[in-house]
């Protein structure tokens, strides 16, 4: 969500070194602002930050605070405030900016992949997961959405090729968003052999497993919240 627009691998792969220097050795590059408590567009941006060890403050705000800032500071979430006070938004712009700073692959294929991951139908996994009634935010019902999301996941498996990552041996910035798509689709009961076929699930889970153990990524995932979503959502049904 934003304000814009299985099987697991038998063994976890060996991690590769991050491309960027640790945060303590680099100057601050600013502040990323997004909603607190929603596993949505703020998640892949934070994965980019974590992979690169970027020295960036992450500010998570509630809906009331966003109501005060929307259209005053930025029309969109997430947005970045640079050290000189410059503010810019739009998720795909932010993703590429962070990915380049993190030393991730950032080419035309990654731009195309990020556009897919950030758009309907696959990004609609975010409101399906985080919101009690996704239709209140203009999203389709789960039953209407599910058959539209499956071809995207199958296409991801085809694009992945021999892997381990879409960009080859090293991940590109858009793969933070693809991983996030899969991470939200899994608890929604989508990533199954019945829905996708065994071969597709195996490839997607191999990518999912390889990505989550990358240096920086594994540390971020170990520390991220364990409770997500609005009360009554699929993410938080008993709140």
């Amino acid at each position: 969500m934003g304000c814009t627009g299985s099987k697991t691998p038998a063994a976890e792969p060996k991690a590769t070194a991050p491309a960027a220097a640790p945060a303590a050795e680099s100057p601050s590059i600013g502040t990323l602002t997004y909603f607190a408590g929603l596993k949505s567009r703020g998640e892949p941006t934070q994965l980019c930050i974590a992979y690169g060890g970027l020295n960036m403050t992450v500010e998570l705000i509630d809906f009331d605070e966003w109501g005060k800032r929307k259209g005053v500071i930025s029309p969109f979430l997430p947005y970045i405030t640079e050290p000189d006070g410059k503010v810019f938004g739009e998720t795909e712009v932010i993703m590429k900016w962070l990915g380049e700073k993190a030393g991730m692959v950032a080419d035309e294929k990654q731009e195309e992949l990020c556009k897919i991951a950030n758009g309907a139908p696959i990004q609609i996994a975010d409101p399906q997961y985080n919101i009690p009634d996704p239709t209140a935010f203009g999203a389709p019902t789960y039953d209407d959405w599910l058959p539209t999301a499956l071809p995207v996941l199958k296409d991801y498996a085809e694009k992945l090729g021999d892997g381990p990552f879409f960009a080859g041996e090293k991940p590109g910035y858009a793969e933070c968003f693809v991983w996030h798509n899969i991470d939200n689709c899994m608890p929604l009961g989508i990533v199954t052999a019945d829905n996708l076929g065994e071969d597709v699930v195996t490839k997607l889970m191999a990518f999912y497993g390889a990505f989550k153990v990358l240096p920086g990524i594994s540390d971020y995932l170990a520390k991220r919240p364990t409770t997500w979503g609005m009360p009554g959502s699929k993410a938080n049904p008993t709140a």
Side-chain angles (χ1 to χ4, degrees):
M1 289 172 54
C3 293
T4 57
S6 90
K7 288 184 176 180
T8 56
E12 292 186 330
K14 183 179 179 181
T16 57
E25 298 178 6
S26 58
S28 171
I29 60 171
T31 299
L32 171 78
T33 300
Y34 194 65
F35 289 121
L38 298 184
K39 189 164 58 154
S40 189
R41 287 185 168 105
E43 181 83 342
T45 54
Q46 290 181 74
L47 291 171
C48 283
I49 293 168
Y51 176 83
L54 303 179
N55 187 358
M56 170 162 267
T57 300
V58 176
E59 178 191 34
L60 302 175
I61 62 176
D62 60 23
F63 285 95
D64 288 341
E65 180 62 26
W66 172 235
K68 299 172 186 176
R69 300 187 190 187
K70 185 178 180 181
V72 177
I73 297 177
S74 172
F76 310 124
L77 280 177
Y79 67 82
I80 282 178
T81 307
E82 296 186 77
D84 63 2
K86 177 185 175 184
V87 173
F88 67 95
E90 299 193 1
T91 305
E92 290 166 39
V93 173
I94 289 173
M95 288 290 296
K96 185 175 182 180
W97 187 84
L98 289 172
E100 289 175 341
K101 290 187 177 297
M104 307 183 85
V105 176
D107 56 19
E108 290 184 0
K109 289 183 178 180
Q110 289 292 312
E111 289 183 23
E112 177 188 357
L113 192 62
C114 193
K115 189 175 186 66
I116 294 169
N118 185 47
I122 197 64
Q123 191 275 332
I124 304 302
D126 290 8
Q128 295 292 341
Y129 181 70
N130 287 284
I131 305 299
D133 178 13
T135 64
F137 286 75
T141 65
Y142 177 86
D143 288 341
D144 287 339
W145 167 72
L146 175 60
T148 70
L150 298 180
V152 180
L153 293 170
K154 292 177 181 178
D155 185 56
Y156 279 164
E158 184 175 346
K159 283 182 166 63
L160 188 56
D162 295 330
F165 304 109
F166 290 80
E169 293 299 317
K170 177 180 175 181
Y173 73 89
E175 304 187 40
C176 297
F177 218 131
V178 173
W179 190 91
H180 164 71
N181 291 156
I182 297 169
D183 194 47
N184 273 359
C185 283
M186 287 169 63
L188 293 173
I190 295 173
V191 188
T192 67
D194 286 344
N195 283 330
L196 300 169
E198 193 69 37
D199 289 348
V200 169
V201 172
T202 298
K203 288 188 74 172
L204 293 179
M205 289 299 92
F207 162 74
Y208 184 88
F211 186 89
K212 74 178 184 179
V213 298
L214 288 168
I217 299 296
S218 59
D219 292 339
Y220 168 79
L221 293 176
K223 296 173 184 176
R224 72 174 179 173
T226 56
T227 301
W228 298 98
M230 294 180 175
S233 66
K234 289 182 174 66
N236 197 2
T238 60

